[in-house]
Amino acid sequence: MKCGFYEMDITPKLGSIIPGGFAARYAENVQEPLFARAFVAETEQSALAVVVVDACGITEDITLRVRERVAQLTPIPAENVMLIATHCHGGGPTLNWGEEVVTDPEYLTLLVNRAADSIALAYFRAEESELVKGREELYGVAFIRDYLMKDGTYKTNPSRNEPEKIERPCTELDPEVLVIGVRQGGKQIGTIVNFANHPAIVAKSNISSDYIHYLSEGMKKEFGQEHVTVFINGALGNVNHFNPFDLETYQPGRHIIVGERLAEAAIAALRSAQPMKENSLACASSRITVRFRKPSLEYLEAAKQTLESWGDDLINRTPKTPEYTKVFYAMQAFRFMADKRTQRELPLQLMRVGDVYIAGTPIQMYTEFGKAIKKGLPSAAMVSAFANDYAGYVPTPDLIGQPGIYEARLCPTSALEADTGDAVVQGIIDLQAAL
């Protein structure tokens, strides 16, 4: 099997909008640069590519543009290209969200061209390779962020100042760090790393690829500056770096520690890695239909009261004013009620590289669904929550409707029915038969 890697800078210009919050943040500095990092594999029978961009998210139209350009530049079939976002909260303007966050067509063109070109350059550099797979478990850098409180309520990221009010996390973390290592002439040229953790540690006015930068730097320090790390972020919908029982996890610079620890785990996984038993490639795609949630009459009445309480001053409620989130969610209730759509399609994609599956989904799924995908496939699997499109959070059904759970509140990034996660899991498992 021939393999190749390549990385290209996709850092936007200063002044660009940074997605990932209610308000628009404008880039004032570049703290850590952004990259598109590509992996290409080719046999006599097939070829496929995975390209990961440091971005909060990407939409399907971006994916289609990347695929079209890749098909023009290489023999790789468009349908065999997977585009993934890392979900960093210091990325460029790739999403529309709320009243202020909008995309920049100029930046999207740059991202599309460089993501596609990184695949082409990886393809042109592909050589016969030895592939290995390895795994480690990593603790202490990622934590479940939804908690059952002692008063019986649920809360996302409860206060670090009142840990005595917390009963327990709602579920258990998936600590797996899964790697695909690629060696040429005995030298490690690139690694695909899969781990689930929100890269929302750097989330102010600095462009930043968050802990992914320090993962890459740690791997380069170990294997040389030409080494490329393709990081696939996993089922992180209810996972981030905060531990309310450990104040150290809130300290500035935490993204450096997280990235360095992840690099150490990936290196350890490579040291104990085993050669792939299979030396073939496969790729399959499908589309499933899922339904939107609609607000109840009680929810709409509460939203109406919220908006009316501001009177004529409602027009002055912006993302930068106090209590704006109440206004935002109230507005979203009426938006979803007025939306004629009742359902949408989700693109699913499953690749197999040797013995390892790469499952591409567009939902910011809870860790439970990532575990279910891994359990349902016949060998080791990497799961992506930001592949080929962005369809928002998908919590477990028991947390939908819980007012203290951020990921479950009805809005553009949390709008799908409670059975969506199970449907995506089954859709990926069904794709395995198509391979």
Side-chain angles (χ1 to χ4, degrees), residues 13 44 70 92 100 117 124 152 165 177 191-192 194 201 205 220 225 265 280 293 317 331 360 364 386 391 395 427:
K13 63 187 178 185
E44 291 183 359
V70 169
E100 296 183 353
D117 290 1
F124 298 142
K165 294 184 178 182
V177 178
T191 308
I192 305 176
N194 186 216
I201 309 173
S205 58
K220 287 180 183 295
Q225 289 302 305
S280 60
R293 285 186 280 147
R317 297 300 97 193
M331 291 171 58
Q364 200 166 344
F386 303 96

Side-chain angles (χ1 to χ4, degrees), residues 111-358:
L111 182 144
V112 165
N113 289 340
R114 294 195 176 174
D117 290 1
S118 65
I119 290 176
L121 292 167
Y123 176 81
F124 298 142
R125 285 162 173 75
E127 297 181 8
E128 287 295 331
S129 304
E130 175 194 6
L131 274 67
V132 299
K133 63 178 180 180
R135 70 177 301 277
E136 280 287 320
E137 293 188 347
L138 178 58
Y139 296 93
V141 301
F143 307 90
I144 296 297
R145 69 180 187 178
D146 292 338
Y147 289 83
L148 172 65
M149 308 301 286
K150 288 183 178 178
D151 64 3
T153 62
Y154 292 87
K155 192 171 183 61
T156 301
N157 285 332
S159 173
R160 58 183 166 174
N161 297 320
E162 298 178 315
E164 69 280 359
K165 294 184 178 182
I166 300 171
E167 181 67 30
R168 58 172 172 79
C170 290
T171 189
E172 294 184 0
L173 189 75
D174 181 358
E176 183 178 53
V177 178
L178 183 62
V179 302
I180 298 174
V182 179
R183 300 169 182 169
Q184 293 175 357
K187 181 180 180 181
Q188 186 82 22
I189 66 155
T191 308
I192 305 176
V193 179
N194 186 216
F195 181 66
N197 191 12
H198 246 92
I201 309 173
V202 180
K204 294 185 179 179
S205 58
N206 288 341
I207 292 292
S208 172
S209 52
D210 213 276
Y211 67 79
I212 294 103
H213 175 81
Y214 296 94
L215 164 65
S216 174
E217 290 298 298
M219 301 294 279
K220 287 180 183 295
K221 183 177 179 181
E222 179 73 15
F223 300 114
Q225 289 302 305
E226 297 301 313
H227 179 278
V228 176
T229 302
V230 174
F231 175 65
I232 298 176
N233 217 334
L236 52 63
N238 51 349
V239 179
N240 66 14
H241 70 287
F242 291 132
N243 177 4
F245 298 99
D246 182 0
L247 296 182
E248 284 297 316
T249 63
Y250 294 81
Q251 294 303 310
R254 186 68 184 177
H255 66 301
I256 301 174
I257 294 172
V258 172
E260 290 175 346
R261 290 281 311 281
L262 182 54
E264 291 170 0
I267 292 166
L270 288 169
R271 286 176 180 155
S272 60
Q274 299 297 315
M276 296 276 195
K277 295 178 181 178
E278 294 287 336
N279 193 38
S280 60
L281 303 169
C283 184
S285 300
S286 67
R287 302 180 74 83
I288 63 171
T289 300
V290 296
R291 299 188 67 82
F292 287 112
R293 285 186 280 147
K294 294 292 183 178
S296 66
L297 292 178
E298 293 80 9
Y299 194 93
L300 287 170
E301 180 59 33
K304 178 174 178 289
Q305 292 177 11
T306 294
L307 297 179
E308 289 179 343
S309 69
W310 290 102
D312 293 339
D313 194 46
L314 179 63
I315 190 67
N316 298 317
R317 297 300 97 193
T318 74
K320 296 180 178 63
T321 56
E323 298 191 276
Y324 173 76
T325 56
K326 294 180 181 179
V327 173
F328 172 81
Y329 284 112
M331 291 171 58
Q332 294 305 315
F334 288 101
R335 172 187 169 182
F336 277 96
M337 197 64 210
D339 192 337
K340 292 190 295 184
R341 297 177 303 159
T342 58
Q343 57 190 29
R344 65 159 292 175
E345 290 187 342
L346 300 181
L348 305 180
Q349 190 174 23
L350 184 64
M351 293 179 169
R352 182 174 50 77
V353 179
D355 305 342
V356 179
Y357 291 93
I358 302 175

Side-chain angles (χ1 to χ4, degrees), residues 369-428:
F369 299 120
K371 292 176 184 177
I373 288 174
K374 293 179 179 182
K375 183 178 180 180
L377 294 174
S379 63
M382 298 181 169
V383 177
S384 170
F386 303 96
N388 300 325
D389 198 0
Y390 181 64
Y393 285 102
V394 175
T396 50
D398 59 307
L399 294 183
I400 297 244
Q402 294 293 341
I405 298 298
Y406 162 72
E407 304 92 349
R409 295 191 70 178
L410 185 65
C411 70
T413 54
S414 180
L416 301 178
E417 285 280 14
D419 61 355
T420 299
D422 290 332
V424 168
V425 171
Q426 188 60 53
I428 291 293

Side-chain angles (χ1 to χ4, degrees), residues 87-110:
H87 194 56
C88 65
H89 282 46
T94 61
L95 296 174
N96 293 313
W97 200 85
E99 297 184 75
E100 296 183 353
V101 178
V102 294
T103 60
D104 178 352
E106 180 183 344
Y107 180 70
L108 293 183
T109 297
L110 180 145

